[in-house]
């Protein structure tokens, strides 16, 4: 069975602090995708990153960075110098491969609500 | 706007009534997904289409739920004889199939059954 666990339900930080959101996943698949989505108060899920299981290189995009460690089944997300606009619920998700008829659906974690205070 | 659009954004209905939601995916996307999200939880997969074919349905999708995607374009999700437990946000997403893209989500339809 596939499962995604985000143990941190809520995190509160002060602007300009760095914050790391944890994500641990379970899957029997040897190839899979991992994702992070942001859900602001407006409700729409916004895609942040997709990482495939072949590639364990860390990725940085502006103030965002992701640390994928296959050995510990973790895909953590760090926001550097947080801003008030980063306040949202963040979801980690897992998917099978897309190129067959069974892949593509996302298994989401329960989300971490991040509150960045000025 | 070329994103995924859902209609209506909000729906309040009485228990026992039928409701139908519509999703218009990004035009070149051949995969379309429906998810349900309850308060404080992550979205849960309901069903998905590859073009007009419905390829998978979650066991969450009881007999009262039906989804269609005629001609592989827009999709509808109908809930018959609504129950209070159906109150949730219903999210639609679309993607390119074949390993070519991530899923893009609409803003959702919030259903309240009273």
């Amino acid at each position: 069975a596939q499962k995604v666990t985000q143990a941190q339900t809520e995190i509160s930080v002060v602007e300009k602090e760095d914050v790391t959101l944890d994500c641990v996943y379970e899957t029997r698949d040897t190839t899979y995708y991992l994702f992070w989505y942001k859900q602001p108060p407006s409700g729409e899920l916004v895609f942040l990153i997709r990482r495939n299981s072949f590639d364990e290189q860390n990725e940085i995009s502006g103030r965002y960075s992701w640390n994928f460690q296959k050995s510990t089944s973790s895909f953590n997300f760090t926001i550097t110098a947080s801003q008030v606009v980063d306040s949202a619920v963040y979801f980690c998700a897992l998917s099978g491969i897309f190129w067959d008829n069974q892949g593509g659906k996302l298994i989401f974690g329960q989300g971490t609500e991040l509150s960045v205070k000025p | 706007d070329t994103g995924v659009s859902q209609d209506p954004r909000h729906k309040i209905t009485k228990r026992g009534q039928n409701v139908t939601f519509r999703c218009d995916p990004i035009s070149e996307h051949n995969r379309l997904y429906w998810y349900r999200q309850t308060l404080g939880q992550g979205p849960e997969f309901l069903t998905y289409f590859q073009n007009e074919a419905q390829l998978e349905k979650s066991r969450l999708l009881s007999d009262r739920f039906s989804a269609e995607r005629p001609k592989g374009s827009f999709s509808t999700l109908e809930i018959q004889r609504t129950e209070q437990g159906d109150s949730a946000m219903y999210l639609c997403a679309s993607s390119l199939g074949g390993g070519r893209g991530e899923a893009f989500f609409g803003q959702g339809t919030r259903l309240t059954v009273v």
Side-chain angles (χ1 to χ4, degrees):
Chain A
Q2 295 179 316
K3 184 179 178 182
V4 175
T5 302
Q6 295 178 254
Q8 304 149 309
T9 306
E10 297 178 12
I11 299 177
S12 182
V13 298
V14 176
E15 208 169 19
K16 297 184 184 176
E17 284 186 21
D18 299 347
V19 57
T20 295
L21 310 182
D22 297 333
C23 172
V24 174
Y25 63 92
E26 297 174 30
T27 181
R28 291 186 191 144
D29 293 344
T30 53
T31 54
Y32 48 88
Y33 284 112
L34 294 163
F35 301 79
W36 277 94
Y37 281 85
K38 174 181 179 179
Q39 189 173 42
S42 60
E44 183 175 348
L45 282 160
V46 177
F47 167 82
L48 295 178
I49 189 171
R50 179 181 73 172
R51 168 67 70 212
N52 72 52
S53 54
F54 304 130
D55 183 2
E56 288 193 66
Q57 281 192 338
N58 291 332
E59 181 156 342
I60 298 174
S61 176
R63 296 184 298 106
Y64 296 169
S65 62
W66 291 270
N67 183 345
F68 175 32
Q69 292 199 345
K70 213 168 178 178
S71 60
T72 56
S73 298
S74 66
F75 186 44
N76 296 337
F77 173 32
T78 297
I79 302 174
T80 303
S82 60
Q83 299 176 1
V84 173
V85 294
D86 295 327
S87 297
V89 181
Y90 291 84
F91 291 98
C92 180
L94 169 70
S95 168
I97 56 175
F98 287 137
W99 54 82
D100 68 4
N101 284 337
Q102 302 306 313
K105 70 180 184 186
L106 293 164
I107 307 299
F108 285 87
Q110 289 190 305
T112 297
E113 183 172 4
L114 175 64
S115 176
V116 182
K117 305 204 182 299
Chain B
D1 186 9
T2 56
V4 178
S5 65
Q6 292 187 246
D7 184 69
R9 293 289 312 280
H10 303 273
K11 178 72 177 178
I12 299 174
T13 191
K14 291 184 178 179
R15 191 170 42 143
Q17 298 293 305
N18 298 343
V19 294
T20 300
F21 310 141
R22 177 179 171 125
C23 171
D24 286 90
I26 294 171
S27 58
E28 63 268 27
H29 286 181
N30 55 5
R31 290 198 177 190
L32 185 148
Y33 308 83
W34 285 98
Y35 290 83
R36 181 172 70 186
Q37 185 179 19
T38 53
L39 202 60
Q41 302 295 316
E44 295 174 293
F45 170 79
L46 292 178
T47 188
Y48 91 95
F49 294 83
Q50 170 99 3
N51 300 313
E52 67 273 13
Q54 188 173 17
L55 296 185
E56 188 174 350
K57 292 194 291 187
S58 162
R59 64 180 183 278
L60 293 175
L61 216 63
S62 75
D63 291 346
R64 297 183 296 105
F65 288 70
S66 63
E68 294 182 346
R69 192 183 182 196
K71 302 178 184 178
S73 56
F74 70 92
S75 176
T76 58
L77 178 68
E78 182 183 15
I79 309 174
Q80 296 182 326
R81 304 181 303 283
T82 52
E83 301 172 357
Q84 286 190 321
D86 297 331
S87 295
M89 175 79 85
Y90 290 86
L91 295 164
C92 177
S94 69
S95 73
L96 290 170
R100 288 172 286 166
E102 66 278 5
F104 290 88
F105 282 80
Q107 290 187 300
T109 294
R110 182 166 294 284
L111 174 66
T112 302
V113 182
V114 298

